[in-house]
Amino acid sequence: MENQDLIVNGQNLSGDNGTIEIKSPWDLQTFASVASASKAQVEDAVSNSDEAFHTWRYSSLSERVEIFNNAIKSLREDSDRLAQLLHKEIGKFEDDARSEINRSIDYMELMISALKHWKGTVYYGDLDPKFPRNKKTGIYSRVPLGVVLAISPFNYPINLSITKIAPALLSGNTVVLKPSTQGAYTSYEFYKHFAKAGLPKGVLNIVSGSSKEIGDPLLTHPLVKLIAFTGSTEVGNHIRKVSLGVPLLLELGGKDIGVVTKHADLDLAVKEIVKGAFSYCGQRCTAQKLALVHSSKYEEFTRRVVEEVQKLELNPMIDEPSASFVMELFNDATSKGAEVKVSPNHDSNKLSPAVVSEVKPEMRVFYEEQFGPLMPIGKYETEEELLKLVNGSPYGLQASVYTKDIDQAFRLADKIEVGTVQINAKPDRGPDNFPFGGVKDSGQLMQGTIETLDLMTRGKMVVVNT
Ligand code: NAP
């Protein structure tokens, strides 16, 4: 069985706590293993990153870009193999795995081009009558923070680590990556290309292990200057509690509602909502996790969704507890009066797609993130009622409004409290140059390209006095 060692200061290290076996969701057989780090090893990784920072921060942008270009080239050559690994490790269809790998490499290129537009500002002192022209000039630039701790989730382990690592390294920070355990094997394989491309030792360290043991030592390490986390709201809230005073970039859970208005194009709404709800078995932060349908379209929408859902073939869920959790929400909803439109088959981590209608706020599935292949459908009458239901959600990542009425589109987009409102399309993170982020329990701060460079640096003034 292939094992991945920790990567600390350019060296491969076995984990002090042995290894962790990773089972492929497709057949639940052990697929590989990764090193399990100890507290002392992650402390070492952070100190090494800090040491490397003092040199890396003064490297020129052209040097960093050259390393990235080398990495891009070698990643492109290896992308098919990486996609195969990802497909096996996290149970994604091959096409989806390939698209995640390619998109992540494309993002590196996007970040390089963003650097061309990343500018400082010059302030002129002569706005103040005390200073004659050219006496005082302020140069405002962005400088790196230091060690960035990047923590990625299982569902997009490569994409949601590169969107942290690329801006962090290009802006002169160093990084400790703690990948999700499921996804860690492919993450190690992906980031080995950076060392091959010439990234100096210690600039990117990778530590896998039990979050119980290494989570808090990483989150509370005094040399960590920024935490960039994507994952569940539960862990995100824990990070908010323990990481006193450290800037946080948090991308957390979502409950993206699809609003089907009386002016909706039903062909479009059904197609987008079904795709949005069930791709990668619903295990996406931006999955369409609840449909709220105007009463005039409710019967037809539900009937057509059921027709489409019956044709679906899904990948397995990441593990058995995740599938059982979806069943728990399904059973809660049906026990409180939801109608079963498509009944799920559940066997270990395999769960077939399910649809329930007549869902109401008192059912857990209305406001809890199912993160699986269950589509709840509810009904509304007035926009006032709709906005109360939508904005009553503890989450605020994205929402979709399906309407052919442009006035209604603007009106609802203005009033729905989320990071992004999609008009006539399912929720989506991309294109990757678009700022993306959530509010409330879905996280804080909008990331993108230049936006993330700004968030991972601080302002610094140099005042030239002549
Ligand atoms: P998770 O259980 O919160 O885990 C996320 C990461 O945090 C993993 O690397 C995990 O490591 C680590 N972790 C767990 N406990 C920790 C602790 N105490 N200290 C430090 N790190 C800890 O989330 P997940 O199941 O991987 O991902 C699904 C969730 O992510 C969903 O809620 C989804 O909506 C959200 N998500 C959000 C976005 C977004 O952009 N808003 C994107 C994708 C996913 P282990 O794997 O070792 O436990």
Side-chain angles (χ1 to χ4, degrees):
M1 179 178 53
E2 293 280 333
N3 180 60
Q4 297 285 357
D5 287 335
L6 311 173
I7 299 180
V8 178
N9 203 23
Q11 293 189 318
N12 290 4
L13 300 178
S14 339
D16 284 349
N17 289 340
T19 58
I20 304 175
E21 286 190 7
I22 298 177
K23 291 188 190 329
S24 170
W26 294 105
D27 55 10
L28 297 178
Q29 298 300 306
T30 301
F31 146 80
S33 65
V34 295
S36 181
S38 63
K39 189 173 169 223
Q41 285 180 309
V42 301
E43 281 176 357
D44 215 30
V46 179
S47 329
N48 269 298
S49 283
D50 181 63
E51 219 174 292
F53 173 64
H54 296 291
T55 312
W56 179 249
R57 66 177 302 178
Y58 298 118
S59 59
S60 61
L61 273 180
S62 64
E63 222 174 292
R64 296 174 203 162
V65 167
E66 192 186 337
I67 294 168
F68 265 65
N69 279 330
N70 293 341
I72 288 167
K73 186 164 178 288
S74 102
L75 281 163
R76 291 235 184 264
E77 283 162 12
D78 196 24
S79 61
D80 282 344
R81 187 186 69 91
L82 292 167
Q84 275 300 324
L85 289 176
L86 191 64
H87 152 72
K88 276 202 196 115
E89 186 172 13
I90 62 162
K92 221 169 229 192
F93 285 127
E94 284 180 51
D95 279 357
D96 293 338
R98 195 166 301 115
S99 128
E100 178 173 349
I101 297 290
N102 289 334
R103 176 184 180 185
S104 303
I105 306 171
D106 293 347
Y107 180 79
M108 292 164 67
E109 284 178 341
L110 195 60
M111 281 309 305
I112 292 172
S113 62
L115 289 173
K116 293 177 195 150
H117 308 282
W118 196 38
K119 297 190 183 103
T121 315
V122 174
Y123 287 83
Y124 302 107
D126 58 344
L127 191 59
D128 184 330
K130 283 201 296 293
F131 304 114
R133 190 167 168 79
N134 296 333
K135 177 79 187 147
K136 239 179 215 306
T137 307
I139 303 167
Y140 184 63
S141 63
R142 308 290 311 174
V143 295
L145 299 172
V147 180
V148 169
L149 171 62
I151 305 182
S152 50
F154 81 82
N155 61 343
Y156 288 91
I158 304 303
N159 192 249
L160 294 174
S161 54
I162 197 66
T163 47
K164 300 168 177 50
I165 290 171
L169 296 184
L170 286 170
S171 59
N173 298 284
T174 53
V175 173
V176 174
L177 168 66
K178 200 228 69 74
S180 60
T181 300
Q182 194 98 28
Y185 187 91
T186 313
S187 302
Y188 278 111
E189 286 294 297
F190 188 91
Y191 289 108
K192 278 178 185 170
H193 287 271
F194 281 70
K196 260 173 62 189
L199 193 72
K201 287 178 187 168
V203 172
L204 171 61
N205 294 311
I206 311 181
V207 288
S208 46
S210 148
S211 293
K212 264 201 189 118
E213 169 146 3
I214 62 171
D216 280 2
L218 283 169
L219 296 170
T220 57
H221 199 295
L223 291 174
V224 166
K225 299 302 179 202
L226 179 132
I227 300 171
F229 171 83
T230 306
S232 62
T233 301
E234 189 189 346
V235 177
N237 284 340
H238 173 73
I239 294 174
R240 281 177 166 135
K241 259 191 232 136
V242 297
S243 61
L244 298 170
V246 178
L248 301 178
L249 301 185
L250 299 178
E251 298 179 328
L252 309 179
K255 183 80 189 176
D256 296 358
I257 299 175
V259 174
V260 182
T261 67
K262 63 178 169 194
H263 305 294
D265 170 344
L266 265 197
D267 290 343
L268 178 80
V270 169
K271 182 177 112 239
E272 288 290 304
I273 288 180
V274 170
K275 186 151 192 256
F278 293 101
S279 59
Y280 192 38
C281 216
Q283 300 171 118
R284 294 165 37 254
C285 58
T286 52
Q288 196 84 88
K289 297 190 181 108
L290 170 68
L292 288 180
V293 186
H294 188 264
S295 55
S296 61
K297 300 265 179 174
Y298 182 77
E299 295 303 329
E300 191 185 346
F301 173 82
T302 307
R303 181 180 55 73
R304 291 177 60 180
V305 163
V306 168
E307 277 169 23
E308 290 307 311
V309 168
Q310 279 162 340
K311 299 178 201 159
L312 295 175
E313 290 266 338
L314 301 183
N315 53 282
M317 292 195 68
I318 196 71
D319 53 24
E320 198 282 328
S322 307
S324 291
F325 178 70
V326 178
M327 287 306 297
E328 196 179 307
L329 294 190
F330 173 85
N331 291 331
D332 173 80
T334 52
S335 73
K336 290 174 182 160
E339 281 180 19
V340 180
K341 293 293 178 182
V342 179
S343 190
N345 287 317
H346 175 207
D347 175 17
S348 182
N349 68 327
K350 315 284 187 303
L351 188 58
S352 66
V355 179
V356 284
S357 64
E358 297 295 338
V359 298
K360 304 271 168 4
E362 58 273 21
M363 300 171 189
R364 289 176 57 196
V365 76
F366 202 93
Y367 284 138
E368 277 187 47
E369 184 185 35
Q370 64 269 44
F371 217 62
L374 168 61
M375 171 92 257
I377 305 175
K379 198 189 291 170
Y380 76 93
E381 288 293 339
T382 64
E383 273 187 22
E384 197 187 359
E385 180 196 354
L386 170 75
L387 286 168
K388 225 168 136 184
L389 291 171
V390 173
N391 291 336
S393 172
Y395 291 102
L397 192 57
Q398 298 208 349
S400 298
V401 175
Y402 298 91
T403 179
K404 288 191 270 187
D405 176 343
I406 189 76
D407 291 358
Q408 183 181 42
F410 271 99
R411 196 166 59 239
L412 290 177
D414 192 31
K415 291 188 176 155
I416 291 178
E417 291 156 9
V418 292
T420 301
V421 178
Q422 302 271 352
I423 306 298
N424 291 326
K426 66 183 170 50
D428 210 341
R429 190 188 174 99
D432 287 330
N433 63 326
F434 284 13
F436 171 87
V439 293
K440 304 195 274 182
D441 277 356
S442 292
Q444 59 194 50
L445 300 172
M446 298 286 276
Q447 301 183 52
T449 53
I450 290 191
E451 295 79 7
T452 318
L453 291 170
D454 282 344
L455 291 168
M456 290 188 163
T457 50
R458 67 176 174 84
K460 182 172 182 182
M461 276 296 270
V462 172
V463 180
V464 180
N465 296 278
T466 55

